[in-house]
Amino acid sequence: MATYVEIASVTVGSGGSAYVEFTSIPNTYTDLLVKFSARSARTNDAGGSDGKLEFNGVTTGYSSRMLLQQGGAYSGTSSTLFYFVNSNNSTSNTFGNMEVYIPNYAGSGYKSVSIDAVDENNASSAYGVLTAGLWSNTAAITSLRLTDNNGGYMQYTTAYLYGIKKD
Amino acid sequence: MIGNQIAGFFSVGTPPAPASNYESIASYTLSGGETSVTFSSIPSTYKHLQVRWSVLNSNANADLGFRLNSDSGNNYTFHGLEGTGSAVSGSNKGTSLSEAYIGIGSGVSSTPGVGVIDLLDYTSTNKYKTFRSLFGYDSNGGGYIILRSSLWLNTSAVNAVSVRVTPGTFSANSSFALYGITGA
Amino acid sequence: MAVTYEAIATQTLGSTASSVTFSSIPQTYTDVVYSIMTPTSAGTNTTIQFNGDSTTIYSHTQLYGDGSSANSLRGTDQSASLAGVSNGTASIRGNIMNYSNSTTYKTYLARGGAGGGTYLDAVVGLWRNTAAITSITFLASWPVGTVLTIYGIKAA
């Protein structure tokens, strides 16, 4: 099997969507990689909109530690798997650029998650975050959902899921 | 088609192994003295681009400025999170710039600056183009590690990527490689 | 079509280890990418050496967060350089750029962190040796179940 293979993709249509989701993820790869280009419907923070990543429809057992660029340099924690995308009052036509990496997603241990996410803006406010996440659950990941916390994702938001195979 | 050829070697109903979605488009290794390099005629058949670079250069802490489609107008921004080895900063770095400053050269002999740049949905005509880049160098007493984003305020599909070093020149054995990632 | 992104080798630890080595790395790629998953803590820092070299010609610049503040530090003249933090169930990834050239020192980028641990980081590291990299050693208190994989990326 090839090493770097697309599994599925999603494009948000004209009505927008509260979240973007991949289901029925095969267990035949070693790691998962998500590439996410998103714009939120949020209109009260031009710097960005926060979101959360969840697995298998489960809403508990998540924790994150982050390095943030949010007008200055910060570090924080969260009880979700945390990221930023562009808000709808940021510069028009601008979508965030994010990558998620989940090693050993089908294994029997807890799941670690790495997220690198930036959004851009032709102004002073734009956010970036490096996230180290944990899902304290031993289930194999069969679905993943990216949910905006502030109103949902706009049309043209895209997500691509790739499988990485180690042998 | 390759897929049909592979299927012919197996019993009926066995699907062909999926092909890799990560492909090399072009690369350059420089001889030295150049001030820029350009990937042109980029195919529109991929979904995302990745540039991987390793640079030697003449001047300390020189900026690498990226431009898309040869646009040298004031149509770029960048924001960043930077570690200098003793301090951290994160702030607005610039708007209305003539290029995206998402790379750095050390200017130290034999000491490459390196980076990986990701550009998603580069052919979309509904989006301005957002770069995400992790880059830096260490020179055993100096250096930077930087996460930086940049925006090209243009919805055109990207067909060219150029990199310019300022000030100074690239040195021999600097290398740039462009990769395409396909998707449905 | 030539393969661009290819798994080179992987090791899954059945017992604890203080070092894991990938040797006889083919010289046919442009960059090497490493990916490490630790099921539990491997200690705070993981480090890296090349070609079995433990002389003090490694250095690094790190950006890290501890959940309350962002920090940056530097290490000079080290016997190994940082490869990504791991003090919990962690994902660590690195890009060793232009590894097979015999003209320049070797620079790599790394990202590490454990969501349930204390730290996450981004690192740039340097090995002040122009030799082509033929082996990579990862050092930490590797727990059972750690999976380490190296991939090759080949430019056109």
Side-chain angles (χ1 to χ4, degrees):
Chain A
M1 179 183 283
T3 300
Y4 191 125
V5 177
E6 186 195 19
I7 298 171
S9 66
V10 174
T11 299
V12 175
S14 60
S17 179
Y19 56 82
V20 166
E21 186 171 50
F22 295 103
T23 61
S24 302
I25 298 173
N27 64 359
T28 48
Y29 300 95
T30 311
D31 304 335
L32 293 179
L33 172 67
V34 179
K35 293 187 181 287
F36 190 42
S37 171
R39 187 176 179 91
S40 163
R42 184 179 198 177
T43 55
N44 62 357
D45 187 345
S49 178
D50 51 289
K52 61 186 178 184
L53 169 62
E54 294 174 324
F55 305 118
N56 295 6
V58 175
T59 60
T60 59
Y62 301 98
S63 58
S64 285
R65 199 159 294 267
M66 299 93 70
L67 266 169
L68 303 124
Q69 189 285 106
Q70 202 172 2
Y74 305 98
S75 183
T77 60
S78 174
S79 58
T80 67
L81 302 180
F82 184 95
Y83 59 87
F84 286 119
V85 302
N86 267 88
S87 297
N88 202 30
N89 61 327
S90 65
T91 300
S92 61
N93 304 310
T94 303
F95 291 70
N97 182 328
M98 176 168 127
E99 183 168 290
V100 182
Y101 199 85
I102 310 162
N104 215 40
Y105 71 100
S108 58
Y110 288 175
K111 307 302 182 293
S112 63
V113 179
S114 178
I115 303 174
D116 292 7
V118 299
D119 62 67
E120 260 298 327
N121 197 16
N122 191 25
S124 59
S125 290
Y127 299 158
V129 63
L130 303 177
T131 296
L134 174 70
W135 186 39
S136 299
N137 193 308
T138 57
I141 292 173
T142 57
S143 68
L144 68 86
R145 177 179 290 188
L146 296 151
T147 303
D148 182 62
N149 291 333
N150 302 289
Y153 294 118
M154 305 290 288
Q155 184 182 22
Y156 308 122
T157 290
T158 58
Y160 300 83
L161 177 66
Y162 298 89
I164 307 295
K165 187 106 174 93
K166 70 179 172 67
D167 53 28
Chain B
M1 292 178 62
I2 293 175
N4 289 339
Q5 291 169 356
I6 292 173
F9 288 100
F10 295 92
S11 59
V12 172
T14 302
S20 175
N21 288 92
Y22 187 103
E23 299 177 6
S24 177
I25 299 174
S27 66
Y28 295 101
T29 300
L30 306 184
S31 56
E34 301 91 340
T35 57
S36 68
V37 62
T38 297
F39 295 98
S40 58
S41 303
I42 296 172
S44 60
T45 49
Y46 302 98
K47 285 297 180 183
H48 317 301
L49 298 177
Q50 184 174 84
V51 179
R52 303 174 67 88
W53 55 267
S54 174
V55 154
L56 298 163
N57 67 291
S58 61
N59 290 56
N61 299 322
D63 285 313
L64 300 191
F66 286 73
R67 288 174 173 160
L68 300 181
N69 294 10
S70 302
D71 180 8
S72 59
N74 295 332
N75 297 315
Y76 302 87
T77 71
F78 71 95
H79 299 78
L81 181 62
E82 303 182 358
T84 68
S86 59
V88 181
S89 67
S91 62
N92 164 42
K93 292 296 184 180
T95 57
S96 300
L97 303 170
S98 64
E99 52 199 354
Y101 296 111
I102 48 175
I104 191 169
S106 72
V108 177
S109 174
S110 301
T111 304
V114 300
V116 179
I117 300 166
D118 286 283
L119 185 60
L120 305 186
D121 285 341
Y122 73 103
T123 65
S124 172
T125 55
N126 297 302
K127 299 180 177 180
Y128 290 165
K129 307 306 181 288
T130 299
F131 299 87
R132 172 174 44 83
S133 178
L134 183 68
F135 64 93
Y137 77 87
D138 182 276
S139 59
N140 193 41
Y144 295 86
I145 176 70
I146 300 173
L147 171 72
R148 196 168 278 176
S149 58
S150 183
L151 181 67
W152 181 46
L153 287 93
N154 194 309
T155 57
S156 297
V158 174
N159 54 54
V161 176
S162 59
V163 189
R164 195 168 69 104
V165 62
T166 311
T169 59
F170 290 120
S171 302
N173 300 297
S174 296
S175 63
F176 296 86
L178 178 67
Y179 299 89
I181 300 160
T182 57
Chain C
M1 176 179 292
V3 177
T4 300
Y5 195 116
E6 187 172 36
I8 298 173
T10 188
Q11 300 191 44
T12 302
L13 301 187
S15 57
T16 60
S18 60
S19 69
V20 176
T21 297
F22 292 90
S23 57
S24 303
I25 296 172
Q27 299 296 290
T28 50
Y29 302 100
T30 308
D31 304 327
V32 164
V33 172
Y34 64 86
S35 175
I36 305 172
M37 188 284 296
T38 64
T40 56
S41 175
T44 298
N45 291 316
T46 69
T47 57
I48 193 168
Q49 293 174 334
F50 302 112
N51 294 8
D53 181 12
S54 60
T55 63
T56 55
I57 57 170
Y58 298 85
S59 55
H60 52 258
T61 301
Q62 183 193 38
L63 171 65
Y64 73 94
D66 60 10
S68 63
S69 64
N71 305 277
S72 183
L73 60 77
R74 173 162 292 132
T76 57
D77 299 318
Q78 308 281 299
S79 60
S81 48
L82 298 181
V85 291
S86 164
N87 61 333
T89 304
S91 171
I92 302 165
R93 284 195 295 158
N95 288 273
I96 307 168
M97 311 296 278
N98 224 16
Y99 74 102
S100 62
N101 92 86
S102 56
T103 308
T104 73
Y105 295 161
K106 304 304 180 289
T107 303
Y108 66 92
L109 299 168
R111 277 270 286 115
T118 307
Y119 303 104
L120 78 156
D121 72 345
V123 178
V124 57
L126 178 71
W127 181 47
R128 297 193 308 280
N129 194 313
T130 59
I133 292 174
T134 58
S135 74
I136 303 170
T137 299
F138 297 100
L139 303 108
S141 301
W142 300 115
V144 172
T146 297
V147 181
L148 306 95
T149 305
I150 58 170
Y151 303 87
I153 295 178
K154 180 151 181 63

